Amino acid sequence: MYSFGSHKLRSLKSFGVSGVLSEKADVFYSTTFSTRYIGAISDLLSARMKKSGLNELKLRALLLLSSFQGYRGQFKKRRGIQLFSRGDLDLLDHPIFLECGIDQEKIAIGVCFVLKESLNLNSEGISERILANTPQDPFEEMLVGLHYYADRIILKFQSDTRKAEVIALMAIEGKIASLPGQSQEPLEFVLLNRDHLESTPQPRAYYNLGDLDYNKALKKDHKEMSIEISSTGDFLMPSDHFESEEEIPLEVEIPQVTTETQEEIHLDLQSEEVIPEVHPVPILEPTHFGIKSFWNRFKDRIRNFLDQFFNTPEPLMEVIETAEVVEQEMEDLQLSEESIESESVIEDSGNAGHIINRLMMDLRVGAINQLLLRSSQELKEIRKGIRNPKIIHWIEGILKTVHSERSHLHSLAKGLERIIRFNEKNSKEKLLALHEEIKHKESQITVKTQALARTREHLVEITGNVERLKIASQASALDANYKKQFEMTQKMLISVKNENNQLKKSLAEKNGDPVVSQNEVDEPLEKSMSAINSGEMRKSLDGALKLVKDYKKEAEIMKARCVTLQKREVKMKIELTQLKEALEKKAL
Amino acid sequence: MEFSRKKLPKEDLSQLYRVRIETIQPFALMISPAYLYFKANEKFVSVKGPLDFFTPPEISRLKKFKYFYFPSFVASILPFREAGQKVQALLSCSDAIVESTSENPFPAIRLAPPSYEVADCVLKILGPLWWEYPNQGAGIEPYLVTIFVNELCQLLPEGQLLLGREKDVEKLDHALFRSSWVVFLALHLGYCDLNFLNDLRLRILSENMNDTAPVRYWNELDELISLSYDSLKNTRVRLIHANFFSDRSEKIAQKLEARLARVLSHFMSKGSQPPSIFGKRGFIDV
């Protein structure tokens, strides 16, 4: 019977590591589709099993090699169309099963997989080959590696289903004599078939790795980060007044309240002035009625407390509770705090400065302060009745603690107030600077707008001038045109005049009419010639054009007359010839 | 799937959930009966039963109605749908490794969480789906498991669905229940690979619908499938009890028992009205 350690292996003819472990074994398992997270798994298992004193290097090596053995033994490249496509082609179609079991003396690491068809497992002589370190194929090479780190190696194979399992056994140090380096025991090969397959023996418990408190396990050795106070001292923020840490005097003088002290209490956080030095803040002298009522109310309770003190082991808590009750009662009595508070303290809780102000007021003259003073006053009375100095000491200690806490709170409030004032100051300065910048920019804007207006006006002027010049240039151009036209019309006039004269001459010669004098024609020309200037050019031109038209009309009329005269001449010639012929005939 | 209340009165409007028809995908399995409002009848009339599906012509023909109406029962099963979405998102996490460039020589690298962390997170999502049923103990209804897996996995192939509906609706429902139950249990055991789960579901569905010989994995998956079948023999099983896996010899049963122990002690839901398809709060009158 195959054995390893003091316990016999329960079953070799079943799959699972629990068969090679005792009934008290815990088995941790994980299903995986790749070798990607083997590192994380080995981290977790190493952390989980650290206390068992295992060899971590061996454990991690065996986990890694087993995982790759299973993965490579099962992985086959996909061919054909996949119904559900896989983004990662290195993933297995179905998982391999990793188990790590631990009992009292050993650890078993097993990987269960289905051997792919392309891998032929040559079971004959496999144990000898692994022992002799002469593997035949990559599958056996991995077995050699496993064999090196493990104390025992078991290979199970079910030929009909090709289901395989490799189990590496590792002795817990000190429990089983383990061999250094390579194990001397050969690989145990177990051939299984469906008929003789046994059911897996039950371990104590199965644990999915996800059920482990992995966060805690993996961070087990890390201390929680905390910053402790330096050994060279805890430096506090600077203060502008002395913090009194003196003991509270048992006999406290209670000064009378005056209006002057009320003004001293005033704290103005809004102003930029330096805060004046804080004066001792007086309180209202408690009335005789107040002390009596307080004593009457609490004397029984204090006496009860004293009676209990001799019997109870921890009277301190009761003292604290009593003090708290007293404080509560005092608040209920509604002592005249309002008369002490400054008028400038605004009740608006929205303003941080006012809140700080109120806090400081409360610390100085509020319930805590009154409690302290009253307590110290009452203690004076109580001392007379109490014989045990421990009680007195304890009460005094509590009062000291409360006083020191109050001082601490006060210093914190001061610090906070300083910070607030500093921030307020900064923000005010920033605001002022921003206002100035705004003003400066506004002035720049006004200057620029003025300059812009001026340039616009200038532009308007310039455009006006340009327009005028344009007009002028256009006018001069017109003048030139007019000049040309005038010269042309002049020439036309002259030619028309000459024609006209000729016609008139001919007409006059025919009819004996007086010839139109040249002067009547030249005078308007001379007039127009003499009137050639830029201002009257147009008028003269118009006049000239009119004259030309008139002369043209006259010329046409003359022409028409000439034509008629010529026709008449022709007629007359014809009549003359007829007359001549008639005369000749008659003469004959 | 058979159900009661084929028609609902108009007055039930305030209790019904509206869904825009255009948001319904073809061949998506309905999580409850789907109703349409007919003005002429002044009633809500069911057009599809639970686990039934619409084809593209049906959707285009019904689009004019704008909305489908679902009974208030869906409020109790929406958490199962959400759980399916969450697990799907979780299993879809992958490494984000960006190559370094001259502009960004040290890009941030995000690795997907290790498998055991995913298994843990998945169990925390699955845990509240188990309920303590009065007088019955911890359990879960197969229909609700189907709703969860339906959301987790991809849509089933149209051919399979059409063929199944045509041949035998009850068989199709049974195949859906069984395939979903196997996937549900596989998640409990840490089988956290979405493609594998889709493949597994489809394989089981096909085998059950076609009565073909089951394909063997030759590892503990076969044991898981066998156990699933034993715990859900037919569609008349109303509740699958968590203690089914206790005191059994199978290795898978022992593993499931350990995981369910954690579920029952830490994550199981408790209340006076656990979700159920039976009774007044469901769609099957008992």
Side-chain angles (χ1 to χ4, degrees):
Chain A
M1 180 77 180
Y2 189 85
S3 67
F4 179 60
S6 58
H7 302 284
K8 283 181 186 173
L9 303 183
R10 290 191 288 166
S11 169
L12 278 180
K13 291 186 178 178
S14 63
F15 287 101
V17 298
S18 58
V20 297
L21 298 168
S22 71
E23 309 79 44
K24 293 181 182 176
D26 292 330
V27 176
F28 303 94
Y29 69 93
S30 176
T31 52
T32 178
F33 290 80
S34 73
T35 53
R36 191 170 300 156
Y37 303 113
I38 295 304
I41 290 171
S42 63
D43 284 345
L44 181 58
L45 285 168
S46 301
R48 179 67 178 77
M49 296 187 186
K50 209 166 191 176
K51 283 182 183 173
S52 60
L54 52 87
N55 185 324
E56 194 177 334
L57 171 63
K58 275 189 181 179
L59 176 70
R60 286 178 180 269
L62 288 172
L63 281 166
L64 187 71
L65 290 168
S66 300
S67 305
F68 272 89
Q69 179 74 303
Y71 175 78
R72 287 179 179 177
Q74 186 171 301
F75 179 74
K76 41 190 174 181
K77 284 185 183 177
R78 274 171 234 102
R79 286 172 191 171
I81 300 166
Q82 299 292 314
L83 192 60
F84 298 106
S85 63
R86 285 171 172 270
D88 191 341
L89 297 174
D90 293 336
L91 291 174
L92 297 167
D93 288 334
H94 49 91
I96 58 175
F97 303 90
L98 198 63
E99 286 185 349
C100 180
I102 181 167
D103 63 13
Q104 303 92 316
E105 56 184 9
K106 60 187 174 294
I107 292 170
I109 296 143
V111 61
C112 189
F113 54 98
V114 177
L115 200 63
K116 58 191 174 188
E117 286 85 3
S118 57
L119 238 162
N120 289 320
L121 183 64
N122 184 5
S123 56
E124 237 179 86
I126 189 169
S127 304
E128 290 76 20
R129 287 197 297 277
I130 301 302
L131 188 63
N133 196 5
T134 53
Q136 269 185 346
D137 50 38
F139 185 81
E140 291 186 7
E141 280 174 20
M142 293 292 277
L143 287 174
V144 167
L146 280 162
H147 193 251
Y148 178 82
Y149 285 104
D151 295 321
R152 299 282 190 278
I153 290 285
I154 301 169
L155 173 62
K156 299 178 190 173
F157 184 66
Q158 187 177 347
S159 54
D160 51 349
T161 60
R162 297 187 69 78
K163 186 174 177 180
E165 188 176 43
V166 176
I167 298 177
L169 292 170
M170 191 175 79
I172 295 171
E173 284 178 20
K175 304 289 181 181
I176 305 173
S178 57
L179 302 164
Q182 197 167 1
S183 168
Q184 290 181 354
E185 289 288 325
L187 177 140
E188 178 75 16
F189 180 77
V190 182
L191 189 64
L192 299 168
N193 60 57
R194 231 180 299 180
D195 298 329
H196 297 105
L197 198 61
E198 294 171 1
S199 57
T200 309
Q202 205 165 346
R204 181 166 60 184
Y206 278 106
Y207 294 97
N208 187 295
L209 288 183
D211 291 339
L212 299 178
D213 192 353
Y214 44 85
N215 284 323
K216 190 180 173 185
L218 292 171
K219 294 176 188 176
K220 198 176 172 183
D221 293 329
H222 296 268
K223 277 185 185 176
E224 279 189 16
M225 205 170 78
S226 61
I227 298 171
E228 296 174 357
I229 297 173
S230 170
S231 55
T232 53
D234 181 21
F235 286 82
L236 303 172
M237 286 181 67
S239 172
D240 58 357
H241 64 277
F242 293 105
E243 290 286 347
S244 171
E245 291 294 338
E246 294 171 359
E247 290 184 2
I248 299 167
L250 292 175
E251 295 179 17
V252 175
E253 288 182 7
I254 305 162
Q256 297 290 329
V257 171
T258 62
T259 53
E260 290 172 357
T261 53
Q262 282 184 3
E263 285 170 12
E264 286 172 352
I265 295 163
H266 170 78
L267 293 167
D268 185 9
L269 294 173
Q270 299 299 323
S271 71
E272 294 177 10
E273 296 170 359
V274 176
I275 295 174
E277 192 178 323
V278 175
H279 300 287
V281 178
I283 59 166
L284 268 181
E285 180 182 355
T287 59
H288 182 64
F289 173 75
I291 292 170
K292 266 196 172 177
S293 67
F294 176 79
W295 176 244
N296 290 334
R297 202 159 179 156
F298 293 108
K299 64 180 175 183
D300 292 328
R301 202 175 288 187
I302 291 166
R303 280 178 186 156
N304 288 336
F305 160 72
L306 291 172
D307 290 334
Q308 284 173 20
F309 168 72
F310 292 106
N311 298 322
T312 55
E314 290 182 7
L316 187 63
M317 289 305 297
E318 291 197 47
V319 171
I320 293 169
E321 285 170 13
T322 308
E324 286 174 0
V325 166
V326 166
E327 188 180 343
Q328 187 62 41
E329 292 282 354
M330 287 177 67
E331 285 177 3
D332 293 337
L333 283 173
Q334 289 180 351
L335 295 170
S336 53
E337 294 174 55
E338 289 82 359
S339 60
I340 301 163
E341 284 178 4
S342 167
E343 291 175 5
S344 66
V345 174
I346 301 167
E347 291 182 7
D348 180 16
S349 59
N351 191 324
H354 292 298
I355 293 168
I356 297 293
N357 192 19
R358 196 176 174 85
L359 171 66
M360 289 167 69
M361 285 298 297
D362 284 342
L363 288 170
R364 282 187 189 153
V365 303
I368 297 174
N369 191 58
Q370 290 194 20
L371 171 69
L372 282 169
L373 291 167
R374 282 187 180 281
S375 302
S376 50
Q377 192 192 4
E378 296 305 327
L379 185 64
K380 190 178 160 188
E381 301 262 347
I382 293 167
R383 269 176 89 96
K384 293 173 187 171
I386 296 172
R387 291 169 197 152
N388 194 332
K390 268 192 179 179
I391 299 164
I392 304 290
H393 183 71
W394 275 328
I395 295 171
E396 284 174 4
I398 289 158
L399 290 173
K400 277 183 200 174
T401 311
V402 171
H403 182 77
S404 64
E405 286 302 313
R406 189 200 72 161
S407 306
H408 183 60
L409 280 170
H410 189 270
S411 65
L412 287 174
K414 285 291 289 179
L416 199 60
E417 178 201 342
R418 211 171 293 116
I419 290 166
I420 290 166
R421 288 192 69 252
F422 179 75
N423 287 338
E424 279 178 357
K425 201 173 178 181
N426 277 347
S427 59
K428 273 185 185 175
E429 284 172 2
K430 280 181 186 174
L431 196 65
L432 280 169
L434 284 168
H435 279 307
E436 279 176 15
E437 204 179 322
I438 289 165
K439 275 181 190 172
H440 178 65
K441 286 197 174 170
E442 276 176 358
S443 64
Q444 280 183 342
I445 288 164
T446 51
V447 163
K448 282 184 180 175
T449 48
Q450 284 169 7
L452 191 67
R454 269 186 258 114
T455 50
R456 276 181 187 162
E457 285 169 9
H458 188 60
L459 191 67
V460 164
E461 282 178 20
I462 288 167
T463 49
N465 290 337
V466 165
E467 287 295 320
R468 268 186 242 117
L469 284 170
K470 271 186 184 174
I471 290 162
S473 64
Q474 280 175 1
S476 61
L478 275 171
D479 288 341
N481 283 336
Y482 285 136
K483 264 189 181 175
K484 281 183 184 174
Q485 283 184 13
F486 183 75
E487 284 170 6
M488 282 180 68
T489 50
Q490 220 182 345
K491 285 178 186 174
M492 281 171 67
L493 266 172
I494 291 166
S495 63
V496 165
K497 185 193 83 177
N498 292 333
E499 263 183 35
N500 207 15
N501 285 337
Q502 284 176 0
L503 285 168
K504 277 181 180 177
K505 269 184 183 176
S506 62
L507 189 67
E509 283 172 3
K510 297 280 180 186
N511 297 332
D513 289 338
V515 177
V516 175
S517 63
Q518 187 70 21
N519 295 332
E520 288 179 9
V521 174
D522 290 338
E523 278 177 11
L525 278 173
E526 287 175 3
K527 281 182 185 175
S528 60
M529 286 292 285
S530 64
I532 292 172
N533 55 40
S534 61
E536 294 173 358
M537 289 282 285
R538 200 179 278 182
K539 282 181 184 177
S540 60
L541 182 65
D542 290 338
L545 284 170
K546 270 186 184 177
L547 280 171
V548 165
K549 278 182 187 174
D550 292 338
Y551 283 130
K552 273 188 178 176
K553 281 179 186 174
E554 279 184 15
E556 284 173 5
I557 293 166
M558 293 297 177
K559 272 186 182 176
R561 275 191 188 180
C562 271
V563 167
T564 53
L565 284 172
Q566 281 175 354
K567 282 180 183 175
R568 226 189 249 179
E569 191 181 0
V570 166
K571 273 184 183 177
M572 284 169 77
K573 278 182 180 179
I574 294 167
E575 285 174 5
L576 196 70
T577 54
Q578 285 175 353
L579 282 171
K580 277 181 180 179
E581 285 176 2
L583 283 173
E584 285 177 358
K585 279 180 183 177
K586 279 184 178 180
L588 291 171
Chain B
M1 187 173 174
E2 281 302 314
F3 63 101
S4 315
R5 281 167 263 145
K6 301 282 196 295
K7 290 180 185 176
L8 295 173
K10 178 184 167 184
E11 290 72 33
D12 282 358
L13 174 66
S14 59
Q15 296 165 29
L16 299 177
Y17 285 78
R18 278 193 315 179
V19 174
R20 282 187 290 125
I21 292 176
E22 61 202 14
T23 63
I24 302 256
Q25 283 191 43
F27 302 105
L29 302 178
M30 293 294 107
I31 62 173
S32 88
Y35 296 85
L36 275 178
Y37 180 66
F38 290 102
K39 277 184 188 173
N41 302 20
E42 289 195 341
K43 275 189 182 175
F44 294 95
V45 180
S46 63
V47 290
K48 289 291 171 192
L51 301 182
D52 203 346
F53 50 90
F54 290 95
T55 57
E58 284 173 343
I59 288 179
S60 56
R61 190 164 41 87
L62 295 172
K63 250 183 192 169
K64 63 182 179 187
F65 288 93
K66 285 191 184 174
Y67 296 104
F68 286 131
Y69 294 86
F70 291 84
S72 56
F73 158 76
V74 297
S76 62
I77 60 170
L78 283 176
F80 290 83
R81 210 174 72 150
E82 283 168 18
Q85 290 169 343
K86 282 181 188 172
V87 173
Q88 192 198 64
L90 189 58
L91 300 189
S92 304
C93 273
S94 59
D95 300 335
I97 299 171
V98 180
E99 296 290 333
S100 62
T101 59
S102 53
E103 288 86 23
N104 187 12
F106 306 108
I109 293 173
R110 191 192 72 228
L111 294 176
S115 51
Y116 56 80
E117 276 194 43
V118 174
D120 179 38
C121 291
V122 164
L123 195 76
K124 284 172 180 170
I125 297 171
L126 296 179
L129 303 183
W130 291 86
W131 275 79
E132 180 142 27
Y133 285 80
N135 306 320
Q136 295 184 76
I140 189 166
E141 291 190 359
Y143 179 83
L144 302 176
V145 172
T146 309
I147 299 300
F148 164 79
V149 172
N150 190 42
E151 202 63 38
L152 167 70
C153 295
Q154 293 177 0
L155 291 180
L156 292 166
E158 344 175 329
Q160 287 263 22
L161 289 173
L162 287 166
L163 191 66
R165 191 166 69 172
E166 209 177 286
K167 278 169 75 173
D168 189 340
V169 174
E170 196 175 333
K171 204 169 192 178
L172 174 63
D173 292 340
H174 183 53
L176 284 170
F177 282 8
R178 266 195 169 172
S179 57
S180 303
W181 183 231
V182 170
V183 168
F184 191 68
L185 290 178
L187 278 169
H188 281 74
L189 290 169
Y191 294 38
C192 296
D193 183 82
L194 203 52
N195 289 307
F196 166 73
L197 293 170
N198 275 306
D199 205 30
L200 179 68
R201 182 196 187 205
L202 190 59
R203 185 172 287 187
I204 303 292
L205 182 83
S206 177
E207 285 170 9
N208 277 272
M209 272 175 55
N210 304 323
D211 293 323
T212 53
V215 176
R216 297 289 200 144
Y217 290 95
W218 304 121
N219 51 29
E220 65 177 39
L221 267 166
D222 296 335
E223 210 173 272
L224 171 67
I225 294 167
S226 171
L227 198 66
S228 307
Y229 287 9
D230 283 347
S231 55
L232 185 61
K233 290 188 188 298
N234 51 54
T235 51
R236 287 186 293 280
V237 173
R238 288 193 182 182
L239 187 72
I240 304 171
H241 297 270
N243 61 11
F244 177 85
F245 306 101
S246 307
D247 302 324
R248 291 183 75 98
S249 58
E250 298 97 334
K251 188 170 146 190
I252 283 291
Q254 291 165 27
K255 289 184 177 178
L256 277 169
E257 186 189 1
R259 289 229 94 192
L260 285 174
R262 189 181 169 209
V263 164
L264 300 187
S265 60
H266 291 98
F267 309 127
M268 184 178 65
S269 298
K270 291 176 185 175
S272 57
Q273 293 186 342
S276 175
I277 63 171
F278 302 101
K280 283 182 185 175
R281 289 183 289 112
F283 54 78
I284 296 178
D285 291 335
V286 179

